[in-house]
Amino acid sequence: MVDSLVSTVVKKLTTTIPDQVALFVDVTSDIKKLSSAFTFIRAVLEDAESQRCANNRLVKIWLEKVKDVAYDVDDIVDEWSTEAHRPQAPDEGDGSCFSFLGTCFFSYVTLFNHFKFRCEIGWRIKKVRGRLDSIEREITGLGLIVHSGEREGMDSEVRQGEMRERETSSLIDEPLIVGRDGEKKLVVDLLVGGSSGEVNVPLVISIVGMGGVGKTTLAQLTYNDEKVKGHFHMRMWVYVSQDFDVKRITESIIKSVDTEFRGENLNLDQLQNKLREMLRNKIFLLVLDDIWSEDSGKWNKLKIPFQTGGAGSRIIITTRSEKVAMAMGRAHIHKLAVLSYDDCWLLFYRSALKHRSTEERSELEGIGRQIVNKLGGLPLPAATIGSAMCSKSTREEWELVLGDEIWNSGDVLGGILPALLLSYRDLPPVLKQCFSYFSIFPKGFRIEKDMMVRLWVAQGFIGSDTSSNVEEIGGLYFEDLRRRSLLQDAKLDRAKNVLKCKMHDLVHDLAQSVSGSDFSLVQIGKQPSLNFNNVHHSFFVHDETVNEADEVAYILATLYKAHKLRTLFLDSRISMVPRMSFHHWRRLRALDLSYTSIKKLSPTVGHLKHLRFLDLSRTGIEELPEEVCNCLNLQTLRLNHCWKLKKLPGGMKKMIKLRHLEFENSDDLRYLPQGIGRLTSLRTLSKFIFGGGREGCKCGELKRLNHLQGSLLITGLDKYRSRDEAREAELNKKQHLHTLSLGYMREGDELLDEDQAKRMEDVLEFLQPHTNLKELKIELYRGSKLPKWIEDPVFSHLVRMTLSCCWECIQLPGFGKLPSLKYLEIDCMVEVRKVGIEFSGVDNNDGSGCVVSFPKLETLVFNDMSKWEEWELRGGVGEVMPSLLQLEVKWCPKLKELPTNLPPLLQELTLQISNEGMLSSGGTLPVLPNLKHLIIWRNDELKSFPCGWLGQFKALETLEIHRCWQLESLPDEELQQLTMLQELIIQYCPLLKERYGYEGEDRHKIAQIPDKIIC
């Protein structure tokens, strides 16, 4: 970690400090000597790190000195760079004499300040050089060995190339789980077994085993088993760890079911009552992962709401201690043993040897088997060391790992597993620095990939501030750590990109050990174990036993000792944020106050000249002080879910280094300030709001923001006056945008006159995006027709399309022409009466046009089409929707029937209609032999299903019927024919409930269906 920091400082010393310093003070020689001293120190750092791992106390102290000086030099260089890029003149005046004199005076003051600043910089450089000379002299006395510098050549460019090569070759796959089939079957049988004879509801199943043996993995395997998912009405997963806070855990259980729940103002009694009602009569599965507390009193308090659950409910806990399992009361305890040698070898082999040639495997297998012998059957070390060995190609490199003294060390960094430490030592310096940063977060913390990358950039771990691809490089670093099994439990988005990851507790212990005194996870109310004078990164964790006043006093008292702090995070559960003056923490580069109760940010934030990351999401902030615009180095500003936020500072145009400006779901923000177009470094902009009068930005300010990437919402399009204004936005040049939403402000339901509608159509026509676009949404559009470009096959990357509340449109575009479209949703287009051949992309009635209509479409949704009566599904000379798997038709009361030629591959059909309509006995219904899921929603007049219709669905696995008040019965004989049917759900159908409920007279007619929910 120190190696990477020193490397960064050397690079900055030789490239960032300009020669002009020498014009004012003679420090040129000092800069050269600083660079030379750091270069020599770097040559012994590899040996110093090895001795630190072996608990050499003197070397640890020496490394702390090196790190402290390196941080100080980094700050000096950063301040110089900031001053060099500071605006040199005020905004243009009115051309008057007074304005001219003002400019001259400003220039004189600026020149004087620059001279004074450079003198101060020179003095600080001389002072720090003296400290570094002293550190350099200590090397001989410590006996540190100079290394050849082979690893020094692994600079960032080489690392980028190496990781790109790995990414494309898939050399290091996520290790597969082995050797747990028997345990999985045992636990699954306990979960889905009968509930008769059980004394307690729910039954607790405890998985007990040492750290790294795979307890969480086994719990995940069973939790996601298809049989388990089908058996329980609801499943919940909560990570507990060492903090058994009953209120927090209860709240987390509720959020596991209701992701939108916000319960910060509820006390424990209110939370438990809510949970009690949520679980009432529901068969549930709850996993409490990684419990440490042996306090049975806390467990008894936590489990009170569970008693309302249905018979057959289960709780799984994972723990390292059998005493913890016993504290749970009556429970089945499953002691998880280590893997057999063969299974451990297989896990190692898949990571380290599987993708090698036969010759390589033959040469290295013997050494690999000896390494596996040292792993003790633990899967986590097998995966991590296997991933590390994947990058070692020679027999000599493998033998070095096998012969490393760490294997025989009895006390390595406080008991860290040797295999994990070897995996860390195998990391190049830059990845060591990135890995150590994870230690600032509590155990079990789910870490956003994008946020972590931006924090790395903020700390200077990746490239320079001006590098155009630092986020891409950081993403590769993150993926490299994940592929080395140092990160796990990845959460993916629709495109299978990693959104969040977690770190195993043992790996987290490793990160904390190697980070030394640099990082501090502070439990409020407890005496810090570190000297805060040397702490650079800190996360304050809430303790429910400490009252608000004491909490505030503790935070302030601790922070005032940490004058070198570079990162500050406050736990979201801290109820009262102290009023902080930032004078004392001028070195801060990352400040996260998200989820806290802060309502006003101190103007002293403007003194944080190093600040690069500021997160105020989900707070009560109404506006930011203008002084925040003095944070000229700020790269990331997050204001998501700030419901009270009214406006952004007018001086934001000065923040030219800003790369990410986020304010998702901050809906009270009505405009962006003028000058936003000057922020040409922006990569992320949640929303571009057109309007705001004199203070608001103009549409032309989008023109220069060509680095925008990811998602962008543009609102206020109805305020565009002409097509020329729309053309100025130059959306067709935003090639890195993948998701675009175009929205209009809804101002009543009055009809537009002809000129207004034509202007709106012209504006949308000239807002054509770049053809790299993947997702498009248009909502609240009031024109009568959609632009031609929306159906152009040139949009070959477009996979998702949503049209919502386009009230005046009478015809759907030819979406069938789009070659890659997978998801299409048409919502609230109330004037559409017929969906005809034009929808399929057919140009003429003779069938000419695209060969295959909707070739990739998998999901099609029609919702709230109140006048839609007819649907003609016909394409050109080829098929129509050959890939369609899911169809939803909801709130389309006048639609007479579904097309009889619906694609035969269709697997899920949802119908939500207010009358019998297409389900009447006289209607023509499609034949769907592959349908697996059928959902009937809210049919107020349906009394019975058409004869023979339900029985045709031989592949049906799930049947759901909701709010069909008049439906009297199910076709019993046809249900008997559905041999694949596994689940029947009937909700709010009183006549069916009376007939097929627990005491219904026809309950026996559905006895063959395994899972039934009737309520």
Side-chain angles (χ1 to χ4, degrees), residues 710-725:
S711 303
L712 175 64
L713 167 62
I714 304 177
T715 64
L717 294 179
D718 45 316
K719 294 182 173 63
Y720 280 39
R721 293 188 295 269
S722 69
R723 65 173 65 182
D724 293 333
E725 280 193 334

Side-chain angles (χ1 to χ4, degrees), residues 11-254:
K11 186 176 181 180
K12 289 183 178 180
L13 280 171
T14 56
T15 60
T16 305
I17 294 284
D19 293 335
Q20 283 87 338
V21 176
L23 297 178
F24 293 90
V25 283
D26 185 20
V27 295
T28 305
S29 61
D30 292 299
I31 293 173
K32 290 180 179 179
K33 289 177 180 177
L34 273 179
S35 180
S36 177
F38 272 127
T39 301
F40 178 70
I41 287 171
R42 189 183 175 201
V44 302
L45 284 179
E46 186 173 341
D47 185 49
E49 288 281 6
S50 298
Q51 293 197 37
R52 186 179 73 86
C53 291
N55 285 328
N56 186 321
R57 184 172 174 272
L58 292 177
V59 171
K60 284 183 179 180
I61 295 173
W62 182 81
L63 281 171
E64 290 299 322
K65 292 179 182 178
V66 173
K67 187 164 52 179
D68 202 43
V69 172
Y71 274 130
D72 286 347
V73 173
D74 191 38
D75 286 338
I76 291 172
V77 175
D78 195 53
E79 288 176 35
W80 175 266
S81 179
T82 302
E83 189 68 23
H85 291 93
R86 187 178 296 277
Q88 298 299 307
D91 291 338
E92 293 182 5
D94 56 9
S96 66
C97 178
F98 292 106
S99 177
F100 173 75
L101 290 174
T103 301
C104 292
F105 178 75
F106 178 86
S107 299
Y108 173 78
V109 172
T110 300
L111 184 63
F112 175 77
N113 287 337
H114 280 330
F115 175 80
K116 179 182 176 183
F117 173 79
R118 287 167 176 168
C119 289
E120 290 175 354
I121 288 287
W123 176 79
R124 289 168 63 186
I125 288 175
K126 286 180 177 292
K127 185 177 179 181
V128 83
R129 184 203 150 190
R131 291 165 58 196
L132 196 59
D133 287 344
S134 175
I135 290 171
E136 190 176 4
R137 286 193 294 270
E138 294 178 22
I139 292 176
T140 305
L142 293 170
L144 298 176
I145 301 172
V146 177
H147 283 258
S148 61
E150 291 178 1
R151 289 182 64 84
E152 292 179 21
M154 192 176 286
D155 56 16
S156 60
E157 288 78 12
V158 175
R159 288 296 307 156
Q160 294 164 35
E162 178 184 320
M163 284 186 289
R164 286 194 180 94
E165 183 179 342
R166 283 187 192 160
E167 186 173 24
T168 55
S169 68
S170 300
L171 191 61
I172 310 176
D173 291 327
E174 192 74 27
L176 299 177
I177 298 163
V178 298
R180 296 304 188 197
D181 293 340
E183 282 90 348
K184 176 187 173 184
K185 183 179 185 304
L186 188 151
V187 177
V188 168
D189 288 345
L190 287 169
L191 291 177
V192 301
S195 58
S196 60
E198 293 182 2
V199 177
N200 292 337
V201 178
L203 174 69
V204 179
I205 301 167
S206 300
I207 302 174
V208 181
M210 64 185 297
V213 78
K215 301 182 296 296
T216 300
T217 299
L218 178 57
Q220 290 170 331
L221 279 173
T222 55
Y223 185 84
N224 292 298
D225 181 81
E226 289 300 322
K227 188 185 296 185
V228 170
K229 289 196 288 187
H231 180 77
F232 294 97
H233 298 161
M234 59 176 61
R235 295 175 304 134
M236 300 155 288
W237 184 291
V238 175
Y239 178 81
V240 180
S241 195
Q242 298 177 5
D243 178 21
F244 199 101
D245 182 334
V246 175
K247 182 180 178 182
R248 178 186 68 83
I249 297 171
T250 303
E251 187 175 330
S252 297
I253 294 171
I254 296 172

Side-chain angles (χ1 to χ4, degrees), residues 238-246 248-249 288-295 298 318-320 324 442-445 504-506 508-509 512 521 523 526 541-544 573:
V238 175
Y239 178 81
V240 180
S241 195
Q242 298 177 5
D243 178 21
F244 199 101
D245 182 334
V246 175
R248 178 186 68 83
I249 297 171
L288 298 173
D289 186 34
D290 194 27
I291 296 182
W292 289 69
S293 174
E294 300 175 5
D295 188 342
K298 289 185 176 180
T318 69
T319 179
R320 300 184 188 186
V324 173
K443 287 183 177 179
F445 195 89
H504 192 282
D505 284 359
L506 292 180
H508 189 273
D509 290 340
Q512 286 188 314
L521 192 60
Q523 186 76 41
K526 296 181 179 179
V541 182
H542 169 71
D543 186 336
E544 65 172 352
R573 293 172 293 162

Side-chain angles (χ1 to χ4, degrees), residues 843-859:
D843 297 326
N844 303 299
N845 287 328
D846 60 4
S848 63
C850 51
V851 176
V852 179
S853 298
F854 298 102
K856 299 287 183 67
L857 191 67
E858 297 175 355
T859 302

Side-chain angles (χ1 to χ4, degrees), residues 507-573:
V507 180
H508 189 273
D509 290 340
L510 170 65
Q512 286 188 314
S513 295
V514 299
S515 63
S517 63
D518 222 18
F519 294 82
S520 175
L521 192 60
V522 183
Q523 186 76 41
I524 291 176
K526 296 181 179 179
Q527 185 65 31
S529 59
L530 297 174
N531 178 2
F532 258 74
N533 289 324
N534 297 323
V535 170
H536 295 96
H537 312 278
S538 189
F539 191 122
F540 282 76
V541 182
H542 169 71
D543 186 336
E544 65 172 352
T545 64
V546 180
N547 63 48
E548 290 183 358
D550 290 342
E551 193 169 58
V552 170
Y554 179 91
I555 294 172
L556 288 176
T558 306
L559 281 179
Y560 276 116
K561 301 174 187 175
H563 61 280
K564 296 179 180 179
L565 209 58
R566 287 179 158 226
T567 303
L568 175 60
F569 282 74
L570 291 187
D571 192 333
S572 61
R573 293 172 293 162

